[in-house]
Structure formats: C-alpha cells, structure tokens
Amino acid sequence: MKNLAPAIFPPKGIGDAKPSNKAVLDWVHEIATLAQPENIFWCDGSERENEFLIAESLKQNVLIELNEKKVPRSYLHRSSPNDVARVEQFTFVCTPTKQEAGPTNNWADPAETYAKLRELLRGAMRGRTMFVIPYMMGPADSPLTKVGFEITDSKYVVLSLRIMTRMGEIALKRLGNDPSAEWNRGVHSLLDVNPERRFICHFPQDNTIISVGSGYGGNVLLSKKCLALRIGSYLARKQNWMAEHMLILGVESPEGRKHYVAAAFPSACGKTNFAMLIPPEHFKGWKVTTIGDDIAWMQIRNGRLYAVNPENGYFGVVPGTSYKSNPNAMRSIAHDTIYTNVALTDDGDLWWEGKDGEPPAHAIDWRGNDWTPQSVEKAAHPNSRFTTPMCNNPALDPDVEKGEGVPISAIIFGGRRSDTVPLVYQAFDWNHGVYLGATMASETTAAAAGAVGRVRRDPMAMLPFCGYNIGDYFQHWLDIGKQLTNPPLIFNVNWFRKSSEEKFLWHGFGENMRVLKWIIDRCEGTGGALNSPIGWLPGPHDLDLAELDIDHIAVDQLLGLDHEEWEKEIAAHKEFFDSLGGVVPEELLKRREQLAAGFDL
Ligand code: OXD
Ligand code: MN
C-alpha cells in the first residue's frame, strides 16, 4: 500500500495533550490496538501545534505553500482526483433496524458493518501517526453544545477541524471526567484512498461515526455532515430539538429592528452567499450579519425557536466566488484559509472559474497539470473548497457565541429550479410550511458525486443528511410546531427560475435583499400578499424593485403560476410521497390534497 500519511514525530510539548476521561482513553486504546499506528498524537489545537503540523504538511506535500503577500498564512491542498465530493451511495446509517433508517438512507446492519470496518481498519495506520482530536460543536455556554472526538491519520483533517470546530482544551473542559457523559466517537482513516474501500458509516444509537477511504472534507470532517447533521438529527429527535441544514442570518433595518432568519438550501445552491449578503445601494442602512452558513441547531425557548451555529468556520464552494458575487466571502478567504482543489498561479496565488479579473496566462490546475485559458479542463474542480474560520467574516453577527442562540422569525426553504417555482411565497401556517419543506426539490450540483442538473426531491435540504426515518423526521417537525406559540413564518424561494430563452430571470446575490425585505415585512405584519393555491404570493408591488434593472414581464414570469407546470409538480409530490412507502404523516398527505384541489385537480 502506498504510504499516504507517513508518521511524524513531534518535539516535546507537542502532541501530548492526553485527555483524562477514562471512556475516551479506553476507546482510543481500542482503536490504536486495531489500527496499530506508529505513534499517537494528542491534539490540543494550540498555535504551536498548528505551526508544527503545517510545517510537516508542507514537507510531505499535503499542503502547498502560497505567496505570503497575496494570501497570508493560507495553503493549497490537492485531493486525489477520485475523491472530490461526498459519496452518498457509500454513506450508511446503521441503525438496529432498516425501518429506523427509513426509505431515504442506505442502511446496513450495525454488527456486520462494525465487523467489515474493523477488518478495513486492522493495521491501517501502520507507519502512520494517529491523531486524537477533541472538539466542541456549538458555543461554549450553550445547552445544545456537543463534544466529539475524531481519530484520524490525516494531518489535513487536523488542520481543517481546528478551523471548523472549537478544538482542544475547551472541548476537554466541557466533557469533564464523567465516563458516562455524552460524546461522539469518530474514527477516520484514509486507508489507500480507494473508492472501492470508501465507506462513511453512522451508528446513531452508539453516537459513533466511522469513515474510511476518503480525504474529502464532507466525508472526513466528521464534525460537520456526520455529527452536526446525521447523528445530530437523530439526537435532536430524541432530545426535542432540531438539527438542520440551514444558514442563519441577521437582518437589521436602518431603525435598528433586527430579525434572524434560517434558510435551508441543498448543497452548492448559494447558502454561503445568502448568509453573507451585502444589501444593494437602494437598501442603504440595512445590514445583514452571519450566524452560520450551513448548519443550524435550534431549540424551543418561551414558545419560539432559537438557533445556534454549531460550527466555527466555513467549508464553502470556491468557483463563482468573487468580489461581485460575495465580497464578504472574498475578504474571509483572503488569509488564514486552506484551499482544496483550486488552481495555483505561477506567482503563488490562486485561480478559479468565476474569480475577479482575467485568468492567468498559465497555472497548475487542481489535478497538478499545466493549465492555460485555452485548456478544455477546468482550472479548479467545480466542488473545490475553502476552509476558513468564521472570525474572518467581516459580517459576523455579534451574537454568534450566544449560548441561548438567536430567535428565528422566519424559515426559508429553497432550491435550484429552472421552472415552476416562483421567486418567493409564504406558507399558510407551520404545517403547510412543513409540507413546503417536505416537497422541496432542486437540480443536483457538484457537491455530491453523480449526475449534475437532475431535479431531485430534497426534503428540507436534508435528504443526504437525515440520520433516521424521513417520515419520523417530518413528524418531528410537526411535533415541534405544536410546541411553538410564536412559530417562525415559513417561506419558499427560488433564485434560479429561467425564461423560455433559458436566461435567469432574477439577478440573485445582493438583490436577494429585496426578497428578504418582503419576508421581514411579512414577519412584521406590514407586507402585502395575494392568496394563491400554493401560499401567499407577493403582488408585483409588494416587492421593492426600485432601481433594479428588471421589466414587468420578467416580474410576472418570476411570480407566476403555470397551471400545467403545477399539475406536473403536484403529481411529482405524490410520486415522491408514494416512493417513501407509507411513512409520510397523514397531515402532509392532506396538505397535498388541499394543494391539488386549489388547482382543481
Ligand atoms: C456542504 C454540502 O459541503 O452540503 O456543505 O455538501
Ligand atoms: Mn451543506
């Protein structure tokens, strides 16, 4: 086997932050006995440790040095070309019964899967260093906060987790010494990065994740999709809270009135852009701030939903990011950032499709090959990523560390739809909002391996991330609604509707502020709307479109309902619910019938 991650031997005082909790030590001992690493490196997340690991990563070509003047303290990583996205077909939820995993997850028997993974892990870290990473998800003083440990043989994982989570001492302190405390066990090994030995397995009943054969962030930063969403959603149902694939943003009016909004969009549909939106000139005095760009953990307080961002950084899609599309992201990734699979210019800077300015005359593409603007290959992989700490974000919300979270006024669902779905509409009530979420769909993107551009149902943007039966998940949403005396209003948006000439009808990006403003107006009871079979739609004068280059034909097309398209859409809802094999709650089936009746179907 090619040695992908040779052992490193740290000087004294580095790599020796051994935790004291006996349950953790026993588990590390068990994995070390199995994987037989050359040595164990106990991570503490300190600056000194980080510098040491960066230096070692540069020596071993895990990281590539960049021009310190152009992108200070930032590095480029190239993954194996066979390992550039999440692998949903090799992602498993290993609940004791198949029924618990439900119709949308790949299920595998826990005992058999543990046995298979043990064989794959046996001796897998020979000649390598085994890193033990303590980390915490959520603000230090939040009741929602969870502790996890990730064992890995990848330095890239250690360096990335230090950005994406609150790592080290803070997590050990939160866990304490009680061997029965709740914490997540995560084991990751690169093995030989072979797609045939790539499995991302979740054991929710044991709060355990085992991921082998990949180095791609979404498969191996176990804090994120694996813990914060798949295991998180399972725990959330048991413990009466919500773990959702949602950004959280704050929006403040010139008069200082502030609302928080959570929004669920499938992967690579612009969550990071929306979370960092800069209002256009016309909205002078309005301010948008970011709590999180990917995951929301929400709990009920005084009849309202309050959200925290469990993460500490952003793992965002690079191509298309520019000062035009997302200035706050560009400022965030200008320093202290790890880039994966973008192109390297001859002067040690980075290039990707959609970056500001002219492409360089020559670069090294994401695979390590020569690239020129004439090349047919892309310079950066479409799913190339940045990993950057949230403190880099100039629009970071001041309440991001608030343990109780921020009160959510509105929940937005959205997908990438060329047709059918209007720019924005509002659900009639909470349960109808759950229906909107349950039936949302999107054209697939490069964030997951597989065909791009195919419409697939992606309920609440959680299809790849719900760690249990999707029918129970819908019911959990309905049950949460029953406990809310002041529930968020629920909306659906679609920035991606196209004209018959296949042109985007909506400007998107900063101009989405116009839609956000209507949503806020609705929350404050001031915005106008028209009743329609699908929900409350803004009339053409309810949206503030002043100083926007858009004609009334485009506005009509953006807000219009096409009877034939909706007939197909409602049939697709039925087909989707039917495909779930009887797990969909009665309430949602009833809502579908009401929707169909609204179109005389
Ligand atoms: C992500 C994803 O990386 O959703 O956030 O795939
Ligand atoms: Mn995501």
Side-chain angles (χ1 to χ4, degrees), residues 86 224-225 229 245-246 265-268 271 293-295 315 385 461 465:
R86 286 183 291 99
K224 192 174 177 66
K225 301 302 180 183
L229 288 178
H245 191 199
M246 290 179 178
F265 299 89
S267 308
K271 277 210 299 297
D293 81 325
D294 195 40
I295 298 173
F315 178 65
R385 296 280 175 150
F465 307 122

Side-chain angles (χ1 to χ4, degrees), residues 52-101:
F52 171 75
L53 289 176
I54 287 173
E56 290 297 311
S57 302
L58 289 168
K59 272 193 235 156
Q60 296 180 359
N61 292 326
V62 172
L63 294 181
I64 296 166
E65 189 126 46
L66 299 172
N67 185 326
E68 187 60 24
K69 288 215 175 69
K70 297 197 184 253
V71 253
R73 301 172 302 281
S74 301
Y75 303 92
L76 171 64
H77 171 76
R78 289 195 194 115
S79 77
S80 163
N82 74 33
D83 187 30
V84 292
R86 286 183 291 99
V87 281
E88 293 178 7
Q89 66 281 31
F90 302 121
T91 298
F92 292 87
V93 172
C94 308
T95 40
T97 64
K98 189 168 178 356
Q99 161 72 16
E100 285 163 89

Side-chain angles (χ1 to χ4, degrees), residues 215-285:
Y216 171 72
N219 299 326
V220 303
L221 306 179
L222 301 183
S223 58
K224 192 174 177 66
K225 301 302 180 183
C226 302
L227 170 54
L229 288 178
R230 296 196 191 95
I231 300 278
S233 60
Y234 176 94
L235 293 175
R237 174 165 171 257
K238 272 187 32 187
Q239 300 168 355
N240 199 38
W241 52 282
M242 302 174 91
E244 300 298 330
H245 191 199
M246 290 179 178
L247 67 92
I248 312 159
L249 60 80
V251 48
E252 192 175 333
S253 72
E255 299 78 38
R257 278 197 317 281
K258 188 157 184 181
H259 289 272
Y260 288 95
V261 168
F265 299 89
S267 308
C269 283
K271 277 210 299 297
T272 306
N273 289 344
F274 194 39
M276 296 183 179
L277 181 152
I278 295 183
E281 199 47 39
H282 179 64
F283 286 83
K284 221 176 163 63

